[in-house]
Structures are given as C-alpha cells and as structure tokens.
Amino acid sequence: VPGPGLIEVESEGVGRKRSRTRRASSAKHNRGSRAAPASGSRDRGARAREAAAALPVPAAAMPPSARAPPPPSLAAQALAIALGAAGVYAAYLTQGVVQEELATARFGSRGDRFPGLDALHGLQAAACALWAGMLVLMMDWRAKRVRGKGRTAKTVVLRAPPSSYWKAGLSNSLGPTLGVLALKNISYPAQVLAKSCKMVPVMLAGALVSGVRHSPAEYAAAAAIAAGVALFAGATPGAAAARLARPNAGLGYGLCLANLALDGYTNAAQDALHSAFPATPALWTMVWMNAWSGGATLAYLFGATGKGRVALEFLAAHPPAAARVALFCACGAVGQLFIFYNITRFGSLTNTGITTTRKFFNILLSVAVAGTPLSLPQWLAVGLVFSGLAASAGIKAGKGKKGNRH
C-alpha cells in the first residue's frame, strides 16, 4: 500500500524530488512498524484517483475503439448524398408513373377504371407502418441483445407517446387522399406543379396573419411559381383532358389547395411533437404517423363506406391493377426511409433540393412514359415554377450561411 507521501504527491501534483523527501521522512517516522494507513489517507487516495480520471487523455494514448472517427472525406459525402438522392428518385419516380397509370388506365375487356384512388394513400400508410414497425422491433431487439452481453449500458430514450400522433395522422390521411383524387380532374403534371407551390400560401399567410417580412427576391420567386401554375392551368391541351376520368380544372386545383393546407398543418403538428420529444427516433415517428393515417383512411373505406370492399373486388378481378397498387405501396415505404435518411444525415435543405428536382423529373417521365401531351406554353410554365423553386432554395441557403456566421 503506498504511503501518505506518495498519495499526497499524486493528489497535489508535487514534483518527484519533494515526494522522495516526504516518503523518506515518513519512512523514518514509522521505522520498525507497519501500521495500516489512516482513513484520511484512504480518502485522499480516492480523491487522487478521481482527479487522475478527470484529466484529459491525449488522443494518441487512447485505444483505437475509443477515438472519435475522422470526418468523412468530400468524396464520401458526395457518394452518400448521391445514394440518398438515388433512393428518393428511384422510389418516387416509379411511384409517380404507377399513380398516373392507376388514375388514367383502363383495365379488363370492358375498359374499367380503378375505383379505389381514395384508398391508395391508406394502403400505402398501412404498408409503411408495418415496414417501419418491423424495423423498430428489430432495432429494439438488437439493442436488448447487446445490453445482455454487457457491451453497452442501458439507456432510456423518451419517445413521443403513440396517442400524440393522432391529429397529425388524421390530417395526413385526408391531405394526400385529396391530392390523389385531384388526378380525376387534372393531369399528373398539373397536380405536381400545383403541389410544388406550397411556399406561396405559406408566405401570404405569414405576411397577413403573423406580420412576417420577406425580401423582394422571395416575393419574386413566389410570383414566378404562382404565374407558372396559372399559365399551366390555362394552357391544358384537349388531348390531356380527354384522358381524365372527370375533367374539371377548378375542382382539381381546389383539391390540391386543400391538400397543401392540410400538409401545412401536418408539418406544424410534427414540428411541435419534435420540440416536445426531441429524442424520438425517426422510425418511431414513421410508424405512428402512418398507423394513425392508414387506420383512419381504412376505417372510412371499410367501415363508414363500402369503397374499400369495391376496390378489393376490383383488384382481385384485375391482377395488373393489383400489382401496380402493391408497387405503389412498396415505393412509398422505401421512399419515406430515404427521406428520413437524408433529413437526419444532411439536413432539411438538402432533402428539399432532392425532392424539388425529383418533381421536375416526374413531369418529364409523365411526358415520356405515359404520353401526357404538353404544349409550349406549358413547358414555359414548368420552367417558371422550377426556376422560382430553385431561387427560393438559394435564398434559404444564403440565410442559413449568414445565420451560421453570426
């Protein structure tokens, strides 16, 4: 057992020469006896060990497993962003083509249209909830197994309760359903453009209700988006309208506007939940948002009305339509995972850029694959809308950089 002199040196940081002197005097004082250390020396020893543990350890002296990982290289970051963008593009571009086919195609010898457009979002939400739920269970099981082996300490994560998602889930069940139903009245490119102008009502509401001030460049970007949507709506070719189930531009754009309003409420409700429960995992949110959304939609389709039964009977009689519905749901589940990945790893601004450019490619695919005709004024309208969106994203990025500098 080390003597009091050595313990005092360790706790107070005295030099070696002084420690030797104190150890020598201590040994001379206690010569011929082997008395046990006093309780006070034990206390000083405990304090010395605590002080030594609190000292910073140089990175070179740490074991490799305890060192912080080096920051990823620029090439690795670019590859990760490309992976996230490719996942979003592959999922939602495919889903867009399938959605347009279900809205405009005719099935069977009698040329029947798919009667369950309002069931699409509910079925997709149910598939997303099941998919994310399985992933959450697998991750929780793996965490318990690792804790059982003693590799990590048990941690408690405060998650948002499932019941707190019901408001956002209900608005999320109704909004996208109205957007899908709009495809009966307007073309798919028109729907994509209308849903891309979400920033216009948000800016107007902020300025009129909350007194939020925007720069002239932001108003110019919003004006370009609004002008593009208006130009596109007024230049719809007759051939495009002939492919619709019930052509009605006013009703179709009205449904898209209601979709945007409900989406705005959904986003605000989710932000409030994230502020109240910041440690909630993204997959947990995905599970319960889709569970409430899908449950509400399916309860309406199979409980309040018989539309769900009619849709299932149609799918049973037309396997090509059933295959498209299954692909639609799978694309939604995969796409949501990639969106959560992009937001978590790169931030919302990068995800917004990916999803905005994806909508432009959705329009190109609609023209190339589905054969949706667009006139020259409509192509100009598409250019106006996406120019305004690109300018808006650039303005937000500039504000973010200025905020980081200050």
Side-chain angles (χ1 to χ4, degrees):
V1 179
L6 182 59
I7 293 173
E8 186 178 357
V9 169
E10 287 181 351
S11 61
E12 298 181 1
V14 185
R16 290 186 177 181
K17 185 175 181 181
R18 188 177 176 185
S19 67
R20 289 171 184 163
T21 303
R22 293 192 178 185
R23 280 202 301 270
S25 60
S26 177
K28 184 176 181 181
H29 180 74
N30 298 318
R31 184 175 300 163
S33 65
R34 292 186 175 271
S39 60
S41 66
R42 291 197 190 102
D43 294 339
R44 288 197 298 271
R47 289 197 299 269
R49 287 190 293 271
E50 291 177 0
L55 292 175
V57 180
M62 292 183 180
S65 58
R67 298 175 191 173
S73 63
L74 186 60
Q77 287 183 335
L79 182 61
I81 292 176
L83 175 64
V88 171
Y89 282 8
Y92 286 111
L93 291 180
T94 304
Q95 189 185 55
V97 172
V98 173
Q99 180 177 274
E100 187 172 10
E101 288 179 352
L102 288 170
T104 59
R106 296 180 179 272
F107 300 92
S109 57
R110 296 185 304 175
D112 297 327
R113 292 182 181 271
F114 175 56
L117 285 180
D118 46 359
L120 279 180
H121 179 72
L123 294 173
Q124 174 190 277
C128 290
L130 290 174
W131 172 238
M134 288 189 296
L135 292 177
V136 168
L137 290 176
M138 290 173 59
M139 294 174 67
D140 287 347
W141 173 80
R142 183 178 181 275
K144 291 179 181 178
R145 186 179 180 187
V146 171
R147 286 199 301 266
K149 293 182 178 181
R151 296 180 182 175
T152 59
K154 183 177 180 180
T155 57
V156 178
V157 177
L158 185 60
R159 298 172 174 175
S163 59
S164 63
Y165 289 96
W166 75 270
K167 292 181 180 179
L170 291 182
S171 62
N172 190 49
S173 70
L174 183 57
T177 299
L178 295 179
V180 174
L181 289 176
L183 292 174
K184 295 183 178 180
N185 312 115
I186 58 177
S187 66
Y188 180 74
Q191 184 229 37
V192 171
L193 285 184
K195 293 175 67 174
S196 299
C197 67
K198 183 185 297 187
M199 62 169 289
V200 177
V202 170
M203 285 182 60
L204 292 177
L208 297 176
V209 178
S210 304
V212 179
R213 294 184 179 181
H214 300 282
S215 66
E218 289 176 307
Y219 281 115
I225 295 171
V229 173
L231 178 60
F232 192 98
T236 302
R243 304 175 66 229
L244 303 175
R246 290 192 295 270
N248 187 332
L251 177 59
Y253 284 108
L255 290 172
C256 289
L257 182 61
N259 183 5
L260 292 178
L262 289 167
D263 283 351
Y265 175 80
T266 301
N267 293 337
Q270 283 184 307
D271 290 341
L273 282 173
H274 293 160
S275 299
F277 303 93
T280 300
L283 278 177
W284 181 262
T285 299
M286 182 176 172
V287 171
W288 293 108
M289 279 292 298
N290 284 291
W292 281 104
S293 179
T297 305
L298 296 179
Y300 165 76
L301 293 172
F302 291 95
T305 68
K307 292 183 177 181
R309 178 182 56 81
V310 173
L312 290 181
E313 290 176 352
F314 183 90
L315 295 177
H318 301 88
R324 286 173 171 81
V325 170
L327 181 58
F328 179 89
C329 295
C331 289
V334 173
Q336 283 192 24
L337 286 178
F338 274 101
I339 283 180
F340 280 124
Y341 167 80
N342 291 332
I343 292 176
T344 303
R345 183 159 183 178
F346 311 115
S348 58
L349 184 61
T350 300
N351 182 71
T352 300
I354 292 172
T355 54
T356 300
T357 53
R358 184 268 301 175
K359 292 176 182 178
F360 179 75
F361 288 111
N362 269 125
I363 294 177
L364 293 182
L365 274 182
S366 177
V367 175
V369 177
T372 304
L374 293 184
S375 62
L376 179 59
Q378 286 183 313
W379 280 115
L380 295 176
V382 171
L384 269 176
V385 170
F386 284 97
S387 297
L389 291 173
S392 175
I395 294 170
K396 290 180 181 178
K399 287 184 176 180
K401 290 180 180 179
K402 290 181 180 179
N404 291 335
R405 289 174 185 171
H406 296 290

